[in-house]
């Protein structure tokens, strides 16, 4: 007996191309969100989401390094790689919207809204660069719209997978990967300081990473010659309080949500570790390729560890978990960031470069209070989302059972 919604009597091929052909042959029909989805279709669809996010991840990572070396180019290779991911996403959202498979109404609306925001932000970013020149800072309005749009669609994908997938290793592994992508997209603006500090130190030691045309262009934007002030404005235009608040406080809250949905003992540490593993693979590839490299946020692993320990010590007492979490996140995050900053990074024979951006440590008090208040306040929202997800999964199980019932009642016909 095949499962409800599965393709009866059809062998599911291994090839992605053959799976795509089979999907359009057997499931391409209009439907409302929440249609019973065959297991192989759900896995194939969300596997394509992972592939799309991987293209966007590679493109965006290379793009930031590219912009610390050369003048902007709309058709630069990193932009083209990112565009491949965007095209896959457009196709996926169109399929979800038309068939209603692999999503419910809420997750579909998030996917659609995120895609619309991203597609509106992309041309605005091009126009912004045409008008304002470099606009290198990762925190500009048009760039923030791009991150926000991507984050909204990623939230939709996480919610859809969380509500529709069945418990097991595939569900857990895919959810962990989706949260790692979400973490990367949210953390991404901090790359400004991570690339910037190494770019500034490279210029100070007389071996600038940026091409002369880029430095000249950036200096002319503020009416300066290529001097210390111009290069500092180009590489490190962000206030020192931003990096730790975003990298520790915001990431801790994100990892707490990830830990809550994954449910494993070391889920937050695993998500942070997966992201750091990617950064550690990317770093030597950029260096060997001759591109600027960033500092690596090793402290994130300890922020994830702090979140996991808070959940384990709090043992279901939400206020206690939030309080312990705020203390551990602040201590572990700022402590390991300070330790990391004491080491020097060896890059191309130079051992006198910081391994972390400059940090305003007074923000530890802000992080302590902010993490506690927001973590504690998230309890009602968390309970509401969990209850809605449970009801949605129960409704889908009932629908799937109803679809399977006729097949059980139909007598088999003997072969002639």
């Amino acid at each position: 007996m095949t499962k409800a919604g599965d393709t009866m009597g059809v062998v599911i091929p291994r090839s992605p191309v053959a799976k795509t052909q089979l999907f359009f042959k057997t499931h391409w029909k209009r439907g409302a969100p929440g249609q019973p989805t065959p297991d192989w279709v759900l896995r194939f669809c969300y596997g394509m989401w992972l592939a799309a996010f991987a293209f966007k991840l590679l493109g965006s990572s290379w793009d930031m390094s590219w912009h610390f070396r050369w003048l902007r180019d709309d058709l630069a290779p990193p932009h083209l790689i990112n565009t491949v991911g965007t095209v896959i996403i457009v196709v996926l959202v169109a399929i979800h919207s038309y068939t209603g498979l692999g999503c419910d109404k809420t997750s579909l609306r998030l996917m659609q809204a995120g895609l619309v925001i991203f597609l509106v932000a992309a041309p605005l970013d091009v126009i912004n660069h045409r008008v304002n020149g470099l606009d290198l800072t990762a925190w500009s309005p048009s760039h923030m719209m791009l991150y926000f749009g991507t984050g909204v669609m990623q939230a939709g994908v996480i919610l859809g997978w969380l509500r529709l997938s069945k418990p097991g290793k595939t569900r857990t592994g895919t959810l962990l990967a989706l949260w790692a992508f979400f973490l990367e997209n949210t953390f991404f603006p901090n790359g400004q300081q991570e690339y910037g500090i190494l770019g500034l130190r490279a210029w100070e030691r007389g071996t600038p990473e940026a091409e002369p045309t880029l430095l000249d262009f950036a200096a002319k934007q503020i009416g300066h010659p290529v001097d210390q002030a111009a290069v500092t404005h180009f590489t490190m235009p962000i206030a020192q309080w931003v990096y730790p608040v975003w990298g520790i406080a915001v990431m801790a809250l994100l990892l707490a949500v990830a830990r809550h949905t994954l449910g494993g003992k070391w889920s937050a540490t695993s998500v942070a570790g997966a992201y750091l593993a990617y950064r550690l693979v990317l770093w030597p590839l950029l260096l060997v390729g001759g591109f600027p490299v960033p500092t690596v946020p090793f402290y994130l692993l300890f922020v994830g560890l702090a979140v996991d320990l808070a959940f384990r010590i709090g043992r279901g007492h939400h206020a206690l978990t939030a309080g312990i979490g705020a203390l551990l996140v602040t201590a572990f995050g700022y402590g390991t960031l300070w330790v990391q900053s004491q080491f020097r990074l060896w890059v191309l024979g130079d051992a006198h470069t910081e391994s972390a951006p400059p940090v305003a440590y007074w923000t530890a008090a802000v992080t302590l209070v902010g993490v506690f208040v927001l973590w504690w306040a998230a309890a009602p929202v968390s309970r509401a989302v969990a209850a809605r997800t449970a009801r949605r999964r129960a409704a889908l199980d009932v629908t799937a059972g109803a679809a399977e019932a006729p097949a059980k009642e139909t007598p088999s016909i003997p072969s002639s």
Side-chain angles (χ1 to χ4, degrees):
M1 175 69 68
T2 58
K3 295 179 182 179
D6 279 350
T7 303
M8 304 291 286
V10 177
V11 177
I12 308 303
R14 292 180 178 272
S15 165
V17 174
K19 282 184 178 179
T20 302
Q21 293 172 339
L22 178 61
F23 171 79
F24 281 102
K25 180 179 178 181
T26 58
H27 295 289
W28 185 249
K29 57 183 178 181
R30 191 164 186 80
Q35 296 292 317
T37 305
D39 289 343
W40 77 267
V41 172
L42 192 68
R43 291 193 299 269
F44 180 50
C45 174
Y46 280 83
M48 292 304 298
W49 272 109
L50 292 178
F53 290 144
F55 276 110
K56 291 184 70 66
L57 171 65
L58 291 171
S60 61
S61 300
W62 191 11
D63 185 53
M64 184 168 282
S65 178
W66 186 282
H67 288 316
F68 272 92
R69 182 175 180 185
W70 285 311
L71 275 170
R72 189 179 188 278
D73 180 1
D74 291 337
L75 298 179
H79 291 171
L80 298 180
I81 294 174
N82 197 291
T83 300
V84 172
T86 302
V87 170
I88 296 173
I89 287 172
V90 170
V91 173
L92 287 170
V93 173
I95 290 173
H96 284 302
S97 302
Y98 183 78
T99 66
L101 296 171
C103 61
D104 64 357
K105 187 174 181 179
T106 304
S107 59
L108 177 60
R109 294 295 178 264
L110 287 171
M111 294 175 193
Q112 293 169 332
L115 179 59
V116 169
I117 294 170
F118 184 90
L119 293 179
V120 169
L124 288 179
D125 187 52
V126 173
I127 294 170
N128 183 38
H129 284 287
R130 290 283 186 268
V131 173
N132 297 317
L134 278 178
D135 185 29
L136 180 65
T137 173
W139 297 91
S140 70
S142 59
H143 291 158
M144 293 301 290
M145 278 186 69
L146 292 171
Y147 314 144
F148 181 67
T150 301
V152 170
M153 72 175 78
Q154 287 176 334
V157 175
I158 290 172
L159 186 62
W161 181 252
L162 192 62
R163 288 182 172 178
L164 274 67
S165 61
K166 297 180 179 180
K169 292 182 179 180
T170 300
R171 182 177 191 265
T172 302
T174 301
L175 190 58
L176 191 152
L178 289 172
W179 274 116
F181 282 124
F182 192 95
L183 174 68
E184 186 278 335
N185 177 71
T186 308
F187 185 86
F188 186 82
N190 260 4
Q192 172 78 46
Q193 293 95 307
E194 292 175 347
Y195 279 96
I197 186 60
L198 299 190
L200 177 61
R201 296 299 180 247
W203 184 84
E204 290 174 343
R205 67 175 181 262
T207 57
E209 297 173 329
E211 293 292 311
T213 53
L214 175 57
L215 292 175
D216 184 62
F217 189 92
K220 286 181 179 178
Q221 281 195 302
I222 61 171
H224 264 255
V226 181
D227 57 10
Q228 181 79 24
V231 176
T232 300
H233 179 80
F234 162 66
T235 55
M236 296 292 291
I238 309 301
Q240 293 184 9
W241 65 266
V242 175
Y243 186 80
V245 170
W246 197 257
I248 297 175
V250 175
M251 294 308 110
L253 294 170
L254 187 157
L255 287 169
V257 177
R259 167 66 168 72
H260 180 72
T261 60
L262 282 161
K265 292 182 179 180
W266 306 109
S267 296
T269 308
S270 299
V271 172
Y275 171 62
L276 280 177
Y278 166 73
R279 292 288 300 267
L280 289 172
V281 170
L282 177 69
W283 199 91
L285 293 177
L286 290 173
L287 186 64
V288 171
F291 288 92
V293 295
T295 62
V296 178
F298 293 103
Y299 62 90
L300 269 181
L301 187 66
F302 295 90
V303 172
L305 178 62
V307 169
D308 284 328
L309 288 175
F311 273 97
R312 298 193 70 179
I313 297 172
R315 296 184 182 277
H317 300 283
H318 187 75
L320 178 61
T321 301
I324 293 173
L327 287 170
L328 291 179
V329 163
T330 304
F332 283 24
Y334 282 87
T336 53
L337 181 54
W338 180 84
V339 170
Q340 178 177 333
S341 70
Q342 302 309 299
F343 291 90
R344 290 297 175 261
L345 190 64
W346 187 284
V347 183
L348 298 178
D350 180 81
H352 304 285
T353 302
E354 290 93 330
S355 58
V359 169
Y361 286 98
W362 59 263
T363 57
V366 177
T367 295
L368 178 65
V369 175
V371 169
F372 171 72
V373 170
L374 293 174
W375 195 329
W376 174 79
V381 178
S382 174
R383 286 194 293 267
V385 172
R388 185 177 177 85
T389 296
R391 289 195 301 269
R392 186 58 188 157
R393 288 184 63 86
L396 289 172
D397 289 342
V398 169
T399 303
E404 188 175 359
K408 291 181 177 180
E409 296 170 0
T410 301
S412 60
I413 300 175
S415 59
S416 56

